[in-house]
Amino acid sequence: METLALRTLWTECFGNEGGWIDSFFGTAFDHAHVCGLTRQGQLAAALCWMDVSCEGRKLAYLYAIATAPEFRHQGLCRELMGLAHEKLAGQGYSGTILVPADDGLRQMYGKMGYANFGGIRELSVQAEGSVPIRQISPSEYSALRRGYLPMGGVVQEDGAVEYLAAGAELYAGMDFLLAAEGGFGMELLGNSDAAPGIVSALGLDEGTFRIPGDKPFAMYHSLTGENWMPGYFGLAFE
């Protein structure tokens, strides 16, 4: 698949605010991790995936699932997903993970066999006190994150964390790990009671943090028929 065609599709469907497409192609993109459909001589729908894992299982985090506006409502997304599932199963993946952008998409993917798992909670706090915090590298973040993941947490590393670091800052404290973009904590693992002190340490008045919880977030689809699901996935690149 031509990179230019994929860039064009994504720009048309998602825009490129903050240069996220450029960041993705420079970090997490893999030509072998793309699935697409053509219609009338052009790329009509496509998705990519990033390798993740959980409890020894090889999983695929499906990302940037897109259908060109002129080809929507023709069943292409369902066809694309079926093609991707078949391809991934043939490559030894146990299942796929995705994060719907809204409730309508959540219902659509539910009809394709996806089910909610784990969950998140958004914690909004005002600055209070302060806690020691230091900025860390993507490699240190990856190494530390394994130890902070809840039981059944999905491991995300390598290019995915490099991609994360292109738009977010990575921090560690005495008992927490944080990926933050401005006043939004994309993921706070560990001691969530430290949140007010983190906000203060970052020089902000308030902040919102995504932490493990019960609100539906990621969805899982088994490619093997195994009666198993991950326990947590909270680091999504929206």
Side-chain angles (χ1 to χ4, degrees):
M1 182 182 300
E2 294 184 3
T3 301
L4 178 59
L6 191 57
R7 282 179 176 269
T8 300
L9 174 65
W10 285 354
T11 301
E12 184 178 19
C13 293
F14 307 122
N16 191 22
E17 184 177 353
W20 77 265
I21 294 177
D22 296 332
S23 296
F24 179 74
F25 274 93
T27 53
F29 179 72
D30 186 333
H31 283 280
H33 290 184
V34 181
C35 188
L37 297 173
T38 58
R39 293 290 188 275
Q40 300 174 19
Q42 71 178 78
L43 184 63
L47 60 78
C48 70
W49 70 86
M50 290 172 259
D51 285 346
V52 297
S53 64
C54 184
E55 298 181 351
R57 294 168 176 83
K58 180 182 177 182
L59 308 175
Y61 167 29
L62 304 187
Y63 186 64
I65 304 169
T67 302
E70 63 267 36
F71 295 107
R72 291 174 185 170
H73 309 298
Q74 298 178 28
L76 265 68
C77 183
R78 180 177 289 275
E79 182 180 348
L80 175 68
M81 295 293 284
L83 182 63
H85 292 162
E86 182 179 354
K87 183 175 183 177
L88 290 164
Q91 295 181 12
Y93 288 83
S94 296
T96 55
I97 293 170
L98 53 76
V99 179
D102 55 46
D103 290 339
L105 289 174
R106 188 173 298 276
Q107 293 177 14
M108 182 186 76
Y109 290 123
K111 295 176 182 177
M112 297 182 192
Y114 281 80
N116 297 324
F117 72 91
I120 57 100
R121 179 164 72 92
E122 292 191 351
L123 174 66
S124 295
V125 298
Q126 302 292 317
E128 182 179 347
S130 186
V131 296
I133 188 170
R134 61 189 177 89
Q135 195 161 359
I136 58 176
S137 67
S139 59
E140 185 176 3
Y141 177 85
S142 294
L144 290 173
R145 188 172 182 270
R146 284 178 175 257
Y148 278 104
L149 281 172
M151 183 176 296
V154 175
V155 175
Q156 298 166 260
E157 295 180 344
D158 302 322
V161 175
E162 294 289 343
Y163 176 40
L164 171 67
E169 294 77 43
L170 309 178
Y171 299 98
M174 293 181 60
D175 53 5
F176 63 83
L177 192 67
L178 171 68
E181 185 175 18
F184 177 63
M186 298 172 66
E187 182 182 63
L188 173 62
L189 295 176
N191 179 19
S192 59
D193 289 339
I198 293 173
V199 172
S200 181
L202 295 178
L204 303 172
D205 295 325
E206 58 186 14
T208 299
F209 299 84
R210 183 183 293 151
I211 64 175
D214 298 325
K215 179 182 176 181
F217 189 62
M219 303 183 81
Y220 178 74
H221 174 71
S222 174
L223 297 175
T224 64
E226 180 185 18
N227 186 23
W228 173 91
M229 295 182 72
Y232 168 79
F233 183 95
L235 192 56
F237 308 123
E238 299 138 298

